[in-house]
Amino acid sequence: MADTNPLSNCRFAFVGCGVMAEVIIAGLLRKKLVGPEQIVGSHPRQARREEMHVKYGVEMFESNREAVTETQPEGPDDSSIIVLAVKPQRLHVVLEELKGALVKEQLVVSIVTGAKIGTIAEQLLHASVVRTMPNTPAQIGEGMTAWTVSSEVNEKQENQVRAMLDALGKNERVENERQIDMATALSATGPTYIYLMMEALIDAGVHMGFSRRVAEDLVHQMMRGAVLFAVESHKHPAELRNMVTSPGGTSAEAIYQMEKGGLRTVLSKAVWAAFQRAESLGKTI
Ligand SMILES: NC(=O)c1ccc[n+]([C@@H]2O[C@H](COP(=O)([O-])OP(=O)(O)OC[C@H]3O[C@@H](n4cnc5c(N)ncnc54)[C@H](OP(=O)(O)O)[C@@H]3O)[C@@H](O)[C@H]2O)c1
C-alpha cells in the first residue's frame, strides 16, 4: 500500500520549546505522523530540555543552530521542517543565531505572531518560509490557524505543513500576508470577542439572580451548543436566529435591544481596528 503520510521522511527541529511547540510535538506523536526520533528541539533552560526529553523522548539541544543542522536532509527523499516557536521579542536574536545554517531543502515554518516572511527570509538568508497565525484554542487542539507561503515553497511542503498544523486544530491556507493580518483580526484575536460576550452574559445571569457557577454552566454550554448547531446545520446565522424568534417573544425583544445598542457595528469596528493594528504592528517586527 502507498505511504500516504506526508511526514514519513520528514525531520523536525523546534526552535523554542514552549507551549505551542509542545502542543505540535504532542499532536504529531499522538497521531503517529512522526516518531520521536524524527523530532529535535532546542531550549535555553536545561530543566525544560529534560522535561521535553522525558515526556516525549525527543532529543533536545541547548544551541538552536545545532538543532537545525542536526535535521538537515541526508538523501533525496528526506525533508526537514524548522519550526520557529519563540516569542516575537526573541525572534531577531534567534534568526541571527541561525543565519546561514539552513540548507536549501529545509523549510522554515514560523508561528511567531506578526513576523513577516520577508524579514525571516532576509535574516536567515533562506527562501522557503511559511508564516502561520494560530489562536489560543490551539493549546487544546481546537485552534484555527491561517497560513501562507513564500513562492519557493513546493506542493509537497505545503502538504507537510497542513499535516503538521492539524495538531493545532483546523487550518486554512490564505493567499497572502495581508490575509494573515485579516485572520489575525478575525480568528486569532477572535477568542477575545467571545470571552467578552461570555463574561457579559454570565454577569447578566448573576444580575438576574443565578449563582455564578450556574450562570457559567448555562452560558458555556449554550455557546458551545450554538456554535456546533451552526456548523452542523450549515444554515446562515440569520436563519438560525429567525428559527428562535417568535412574534412578540423574548428573542425579538433581546434582538431589538442589541441592534439599538449597535452591537453589530461595534463588532465590525472592533475587527477592523484589530486588522489595522495587526498591519501596523507587522511593520515593527
Ligand atoms: N500560545 C498561543 O496560544 C499562541 C497563539 C498564536 C501565536 N502564538 C505565537 O507562538 C509563539 C510561541 O508562543 P508560546 O505561547 O509557545 O510561547 P512560550 O511558551 O513562551 O514559548 C517560547 C519558548 O521559547 C523559549 N526561548 C526564549 N528565548 C529563546 C531562545 N533564544 N532560543 C530558543 N528558545 C527560547 C522560552 O523560554 P523561557 O520560558 O525560558 O523564556 C519559551 O519556552 C509566539 O511567537 C506567539 O506569538 C502563540
Side-chain angles (χ1 to χ4, degrees):
M1 206 170 73
D3 184 6
T4 52
N5 175 7
L7 301 174
S8 53
N9 291 318
C10 186
R11 297 196 70 207
F12 284 86
F14 286 84
V15 176
C17 287
V19 174
M20 291 296 268
E22 182 168 354
V23 172
I24 301 175
I25 292 171
L28 290 172
L29 294 174
R30 192 178 54 245
K31 291 183 168 184
K32 299 197 179 344
L33 285 166
V34 298
E37 70 289 349
Q38 287 171 262
I39 299 177
V40 308
S42 56
H43 202 276
R45 277 187 294 113
Q46 191 184 353
R48 180 62 175 159
R49 292 199 295 276
E50 276 172 18
E51 187 188 0
M52 291 297 293
H53 179 67
V54 170
K55 219 164 159 184
Y56 301 104
V58 299
E59 194 178 355
M60 294 293 297
F61 294 87
E62 184 176 3
S63 151
N64 294 324
R65 201 175 170 98
E66 224 176 305
V68 164
T69 45
E70 168 65 26
T71 55
Q72 282 174 359
E74 283 164 10
D77 292 335
D78 296 344
S79 45
S80 161
I81 294 181
I82 312 303
V83 183
L84 299 177
V86 292
K87 291 280 190 207
Q89 57 271 28
R90 298 259 184 248
L91 183 67
H92 290 291
V93 97
V94 167
L95 293 178
E96 190 56 39
E97 186 188 343
L98 297 181
K99 192 177 218 156
L102 280 77
V103 295
K104 191 164 79 37
E105 295 75 21
Q106 288 182 295
L107 176 69
V108 174
V109 177
S110 164
I111 64 165
V112 181
T113 306
K116 286 223 156 60
I117 288 178
T119 309
I120 295 170
E122 252 170 58
Q123 294 194 27
L124 282 182
L125 308 174
H126 188 79
S128 305
V129 180
V130 175
R131 176 177 168 193
T132 73
M133 187 62 239
N135 64 4
T136 48
Q139 293 182 29
I140 56 159
E142 288 291 345
M144 183 68 224
T145 304
W147 57 284
T148 194
V149 302
S150 66
S151 54
E152 288 75 7
V153 177
N154 62 40
E155 201 182 324
K156 179 182 167 192
Q157 289 172 322
E158 287 199 18
N159 287 334
Q160 291 177 326
V161 171
R162 226 170 251 118
M164 180 195 120
L165 292 177
D166 279 349
L168 298 177
K170 299 199 170 190
N171 70 84
E172 179 81 33
R173 184 196 184 286
V174 297
E175 288 167 22
N176 50 45
E177 291 193 83
R178 184 172 191 269
Q179 294 194 351
I180 291 285
D181 288 333
M182 287 158 58
T184 303
L186 202 57
S187 53
T189 311
T192 320
Y193 315 139
I194 301 304
Y195 298 143
L196 187 65
M197 280 191 268
M198 188 184 279
E199 188 188 343
L201 289 171
I202 291 167
D203 286 350
V206 174
H207 186 202
M208 288 190 295
F210 278 127
S211 71
R212 189 155 288 275
R213 187 199 62 76
V214 171
E216 276 171 6
D217 281 355
L218 291 178
V219 170
H220 287 171
Q221 181 54 24
M222 174 278 291
M223 284 184 135
R224 192 203 309 265
V227 170
L228 287 176
F229 190 35
V231 171
E232 284 179 24
S233 68
H234 298 289
K235 289 192 192 322
H236 189 284
E239 197 181 341
L240 292 168
R241 207 156 44 76
N242 285 345
M243 281 161 59
V244 289
T245 310
S246 44
T250 56
S251 292
E253 193 62 36
I255 288 168
Y256 173 75
Q257 290 298 335
M258 286 191 285
E259 298 289 20
K260 196 173 161 203
L263 183 63
R264 192 190 294 260
T265 315
V266 167
L267 282 174
S268 176
K269 282 184 173 174
V271 174
W272 188 256
F275 170 50
Q276 290 183 314
R277 188 81 183 125
E279 282 195 314
S280 68
L281 283 176
K283 292 182 184 124
T284 65
I285 296 178

